[in-house]
């Protein structure tokens, strides 16, 4: 197959949702269509069980699953589909944000009864910022839920999306009869649990035909006609370009558990979803069709076996082909590396591959050379824009609890931060180290892993920080900046990349500081122009 055909047949996406909306179930049904798995229950949910925060077995189990489900690839009707796993648990939100830098589109799963939930809002806002094309799947139609129009309104308002329903439910919950597929112009009849994997599809080319009444009954047929008229009146026509630019979001309804509406979603997805997209680097925009390989690290996974401390770095291929045993330039180290066993991921297994194409993800064994955000190229000195860090929610001093093991501790902290487990800040005043995390769970993970993988012990001490703000001295008044640094010295730190960070202890003090030093710029993510 030609190189450009290989690119054209690839779809790399993530499924995002609030926990329990049905992401795992949907993933599994998608894999079933690809024939990638044989049975339900094969995709492990990587959810953190409630109350499991202190259960280290659970953390280990998690890490195992999260390697296994990092990338799930399968073939469907000539399309190569790569699903990137995005943890729904809020303590791992950063991991999800980073994964979103490697997807070309997303599917947002929403529970019909719960509507838009907190985690969905956060994740969708990140996708919106990046104009990532999104398809919405409203799940659990077999249950009583919100009225379809009400839900579509909620999605537009809370998520700031512009929706276009491409399917529409006929009834809901107990009265759920099926789905009218606006995209394909047919009806899928739902029949409870009797035929979980087979659906009856009835072509309805003319909505005014008697056939509709015969299929779903007079009253449901009338309601459907009215509702579809409303849909036509309220919502714009589907426009593929607008969808691809992130300006319009098609919506499907279904029930993942019953495998209902999933094939319709997938069939439409492979037609409309974008092929691997070009990516901005600091130097220039890189097109996937370029001959030379480029790619970047978006995830690093430590080995589960403490005896083998090597890690797996996940690379998204942006352009060209990635080949086994070919030396590639690590542009941060300005050094070439070659990889004898790059892993590709297929449903439940990983395999060594000789060649991978744009859109694909390869896992490279790494002994500590990679950091999240690193770029690999055939030879060009190119740097993909870093992956921004957001202000953590929790801050604690980390102390060495075993003076004999300070080297191990330093190394462990260093490597865990490279993996993106948490953020490290070093106080300007006294060099003390502060760990910032999105969720409290990470502190336990770090402590556990430092001990089991690096043989180091640590303890924590609370630190009252409201928000970390990255300080941009450029363009500030010199005297004012010097004053700021002197007066706020106690609250200043540097992050891992040496950028200056202001650890504001309250929103009030942050406001006051901004007012007092108006020329100094404060940013809430580590990336700014
Ligand atoms: P995740 O946290 O988003 O991955 O959610 P899961 O896929 O694990 O689903 C959460 C729960 O909802 C599980 O008990 C599923 O069996 C259930 N579920 C998923 N899809 C449906 C559906 O279409 N209908 C119903 N009734 N339950 C569903």
């Amino acid at each position: 197959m030609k190189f450009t055909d290989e690119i054209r047949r690839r779809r790399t996406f993530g499924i995002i949702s609030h926990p329990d909306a049905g992401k795992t179930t949907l993933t599994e049904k998608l894999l079933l269509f690809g024939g990638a798995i044989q049975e339900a229950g094969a995709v492990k949910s990587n959810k953190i069980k409630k109350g499991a925060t202190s259960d280290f077995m659970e953390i280990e189990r998690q890490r195992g699953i999260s390697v296994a489900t990092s990338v799930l690839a399968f073939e469907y009707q000539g399309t190569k589909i790569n699903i990137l796993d995005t943890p729904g648990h809020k303590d791992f939100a950063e991991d999800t944000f980073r994964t979103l830098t490697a997807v070309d589109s997303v599917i947002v799963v929403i529970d019909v009864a719960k509507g838009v939930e907190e985690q969905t809002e956060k994740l969708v806002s990140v996708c919106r910022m990046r104009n990532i094309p999104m398809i919405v799947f409203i799940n659990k139609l077999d249950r009583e839920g919100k009225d379809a129009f009400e839900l579509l309104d909620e999605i537009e308002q809370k998520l700031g999306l512009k929706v276009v329903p491409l399917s529409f439910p006929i009834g809901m919950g107990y009265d759920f009869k099926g789905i009218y597929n606006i995209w394909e112009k047919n009806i899928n009849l739902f029949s409870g649990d009797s035929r979980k994997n087979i659906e009856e599809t009835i072509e309805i080319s003319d909505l005014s035909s008697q056939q509709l009444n015969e299929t779903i009954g007079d009253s449901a047929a009338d309601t459907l006609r009215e509702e579809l008229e409303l849909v036509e009146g309220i919502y714009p026509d589907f426009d593929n370009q607008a969808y691809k630019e992130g300006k319009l979001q098609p919506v499907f309804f279904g029930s993942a558990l019953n495998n209902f509406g999933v094939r319709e979603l997938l069939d439409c997805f492979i037609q409309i979803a974008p092929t691997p997209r070009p990516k901005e680097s600091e130097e220039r925009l890189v097109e996937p069709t370029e001959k030379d390989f480029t790619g970047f690290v978006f995830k690093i996974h430590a080995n589960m076996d403490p005896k083998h401390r090597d890690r797996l770095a996940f690379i998204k291929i942006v352009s060209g082909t990635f080949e086994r045993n070919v030396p590639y330039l690590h542009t941060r180290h300005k050094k070439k590396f070659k990889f004898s066993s790059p892993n590709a991921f297929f449903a439940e297994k990983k395999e060594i591959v000789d060649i991978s194409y744009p859109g694909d993800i390869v896992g490279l064994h790494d002994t500590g050379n990679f950091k999240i955000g690193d770029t690999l190229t055939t030879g060009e000195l190119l740097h993909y824009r870093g992956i921004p860090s957001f202000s953590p929610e929790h801050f604690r001093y980390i102390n060495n609890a075993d003076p004999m093991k300070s080297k191990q501790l330093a190394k462990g902290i260093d490597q865990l931060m490279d993996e993106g487990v948490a953020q490290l800040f070093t106080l300007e005043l006294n060099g003390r180290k502060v760990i910032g995390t999105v969720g409290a769970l990470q502190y336990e993970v770090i402590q556990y892993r430092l001990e089991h993988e690096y043989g180091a012990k640590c303890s924590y001490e609370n630190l009252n920080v409201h928000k970390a703000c990255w300080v941009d001295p450029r363009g500030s008044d010199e005297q004012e900046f010097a004053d700021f640094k002197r007066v706020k010295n106690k609250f200043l730190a540097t992050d891992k990349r040496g950028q200056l960070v202001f650890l504001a202890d309250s929103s009030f003090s942050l406001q006051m500081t901004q007012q007092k030093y108006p020329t100094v710029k404060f940013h809430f993510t580590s990336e700014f122009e």
Side-chain angles (χ1 to χ4, degrees):
M1 205 183 292
K2 278 205 340 244
F3 173 56
T4 46
D5 291 336
E6 286 287 359
I7 299 173
R8 213 170 295 143
R9 74 186 197 95
R10 277 168 166 73
R11 304 282 183 281
T12 301
F13 75 107
I15 305 181
I16 56 176
S17 75
H18 192 85
D20 276 342
K23 182 167 67 78
T24 311
T25 313
L26 179 64
T27 306
E28 185 171 285
K29 301 300 166 171
L30 291 173
L31 292 177
L32 276 170
F33 280 108
I37 52 169
Q38 304 307 323
E39 60 193 296
V43 177
K44 304 280 183 299
S45 168
N46 71 357
K47 254 181 293 193
I48 303 267
K49 293 212 185 80
K50 282 203 186 69
T53 47
S54 309
D55 183 347
F56 294 116
M57 285 306 289
E58 180 65 17
I59 291 169
E60 286 295 277
R61 192 187 66 86
Q62 269 301 314
R63 292 177 52 210
I65 290 171
S66 101
V67 176
T69 57
S70 284
V71 189
L72 297 158
F74 66 98
E75 299 263 342
Y76 179 71
Q77 296 190 350
T79 307
K80 164 99 188 280
I81 295 176
N82 297 311
I83 307 182
L84 306 196
D85 187 45
T86 54
H89 193 287
K90 71 171 182 22
D91 284 14
F92 295 97
E94 283 226 57
D95 203 26
T96 297
F97 294 148
R98 286 191 292 259
T99 300
L100 290 177
T101 63
V103 303
D104 297 306
S105 73
V106 303
I107 293 179
V108 185
V109 183
I110 290 174
D111 182 322
V112 69
K114 295 195 178 137
V116 172
E117 296 174 88
E118 188 194 343
Q119 230 18 48
T120 328
E121 274 186 66
K122 279 197 190 148
L123 296 172
V124 167
S125 77
V126 173
C127 294
R128 245 190 20 233
M129 260 159 42
R130 294 166 185 251
N131 301 319
I132 300 177
M134 288 180 250
I135 297 180
V136 178
F137 182 74
I138 299 179
N139 190 29
K140 308 197 186 180
L141 265 283
D142 57 315
R143 289 214 187 140
E144 285 310 320
K146 300 189 182 187
D147 169 71
F149 287 108
E150 198 186 305
L151 201 51
L152 292 169
D153 272 357
E154 185 179 330
I155 292 170
E156 293 211 316
Q157 270 151 34
K158 284 201 185 158
L159 299 180
L161 302 183
K162 182 113 200 72
V163 300
V164 185
L166 290 186
S167 79
F168 209 80
I170 307 170
M172 190 180 292
Y174 182 75
D175 286 328
F176 183 51
K177 292 200 166 51
I179 284 170
Y180 178 73
N181 190 325
I182 301 173
W183 178 251
E184 293 176 7
K185 292 204 174 18
N186 57 28
I187 282 186
N188 279 351
L189 287 183
F190 181 72
S191 54
D193 52 13
S194 58
R195 279 195 322 260
K196 278 200 170 160
N197 294 312
I198 317 157
E199 302 165 7
E200 199 178 331
T201 306
I202 298 165
E203 298 298 324
I204 304 272
S205 45
D206 179 8
L207 277 170
S208 60
S209 77
Q210 191 56 26
Q211 190 198 358
L212 183 66
N213 296 54
E214 283 157 23
T215 314
I216 57 176
D218 290 335
S219 102
D222 286 343
T223 312
L224 179 65
R225 287 190 188 104
E226 278 167 27
E227 288 180 332
L228 289 176
E229 221 170 276
L230 264 179
V231 167
E232 229 183 75
I234 304 174
Y235 301 103
D237 286 338
F238 175 71
D239 172 347
N240 200 347
Q241 195 53 32
Y243 153 70
K244 283 186 177 153
E245 288 168 6
K247 293 181 184 144
L248 194 79
Q249 289 77 23
V251 179
F252 282 87
F253 291 82
S255 165
L257 187 64
N258 293 290
N259 205 354
F260 195 79
V262 178
R263 183 195 59 75
E264 290 71 16
L265 171 71
L266 182 58
D267 283 350
C268 178
F269 172 82
I270 60 171
Q271 284 182 47
I272 68 170
T275 56
R277 303 208 295 174
K279 190 170 170 74
E280 203 58 68
S281 71
E282 271 163 34
E283 293 78 7
R284 63 186 186 85
L285 185 73
V286 181
E287 294 288 341
T289 46
E290 290 180 24
K291 169 172 109 302
D292 287 338
F293 160 74
T294 63
F296 66 97
V297 180
F298 66 96
K299 182 181 183 120
I300 291 178
H301 217 291
N303 202 311
M304 294 269 294
D305 181 352
K307 287 197 284 292
H308 300 278
R309 193 85 60 64
D310 65 333
R311 315 186 283 181
L312 210 51
F314 290 81
I315 316 272
K316 160 91 184 273
I317 296 167
V318 178
S319 67
T321 54
F322 179 91
E323 287 164 48
R324 190 155 92 96
N325 282 325
V326 170
Y328 291 116
L329 181 68
H330 185 308
T331 61
R332 181 169 54 89
H333 290 322
K334 300 196 174 59
K335 218 166 104 182
K336 286 208 169 183
F337 291 89
K338 65 180 177 190
F339 305 90
S340 60
S341 53
N343 283 298
F345 305 84
F346 298 98
E348 300 164 278
K349 54 182 191 297
K350 56 184 195 325
E351 272 173 17
I352 291 174
V353 281
D354 290 323
I355 182 161
S356 307
Y357 296 91
D360 284 342
I361 310 297
V362 288
L364 304 179
H365 287 282
D366 168 40
T367 48
N369 294 313
F370 285 118
K371 261 196 222 190
I372 288 190
D374 279 347
T375 304
L376 278 180
T377 70
T378 296
E380 187 177 348
L381 204 52
L382 196 86
H383 303 84
Y384 280 112
R385 294 245 167 103
I387 299 177
S389 306
F390 296 85
S391 172
E393 308 267 326
H394 304 264
F395 297 83
R396 291 184 195 170
Y397 286 114
I398 182 162
N399 300 323
N400 187 2
D402 182 351
M404 304 294 289
K405 298 281 169 63
S406 57
K407 246 191 172 151
Q408 284 87 333
L409 184 72
K411 181 168 180 207
I413 293 178
D414 206 44
Q415 294 208 347
L416 292 183
M417 298 306 127
D418 283 352
E419 265 179 49
V421 175
Q423 294 179 54
L424 181 73
F425 302 98
T426 309
L427 290 188
E428 292 261 281
L429 186 67
N430 51 19
R432 284 191 74 180
K433 294 197 180 326
V434 172
I435 300 234
T437 68
V438 178
L441 185 55
Q442 260 97 331
Y443 290 105
E444 295 182 54
V445 175
I446 293 168
Q447 196 172 39
Y448 178 83
R449 290 189 55 192
L450 283 173
E451 183 166 352
H452 288 80
E453 291 168 30
Y454 300 91
K457 285 204 170 72
C458 74
S459 65
Y460 299 114
E461 220 176 296
N462 273 331
L463 177 65
N464 175 34
V465 176
H466 163 68
K467 231 184 186 67
C469 309
W470 281 266
V471 184
D472 186 1
R474 288 173 303 178
S476 62
D477 179 84
E478 216 170 293
Q479 186 56 44
E480 192 177 296
F481 187 66
D483 283 349
F484 162 72
K485 279 197 75 170
R486 182 173 43 77
V487 176
K488 294 292 173 190
N489 184 247
K490 220 174 91 184
F491 301 99
L492 292 181
T494 46
D495 72 2
K496 250 207 113 191
R497 295 193 295 174
Q499 275 178 294
L500 189 65
V501 180
F502 173 50
L503 302 175
D505 56 354
S506 69
S507 67
F508 178 73
S509 90
L510 175 58
Q511 242 179 355
M512 293 313 287
T513 310
Q514 280 170 314
Q515 274 173 22
K516 202 163 159 208
Y517 309 100
T519 68
V520 181
K521 290 188 205 74
F522 299 92
H523 299 270
F524 297 106
T525 76
S526 65
E527 287 272 307
F528 39 85
E529 296 301 314

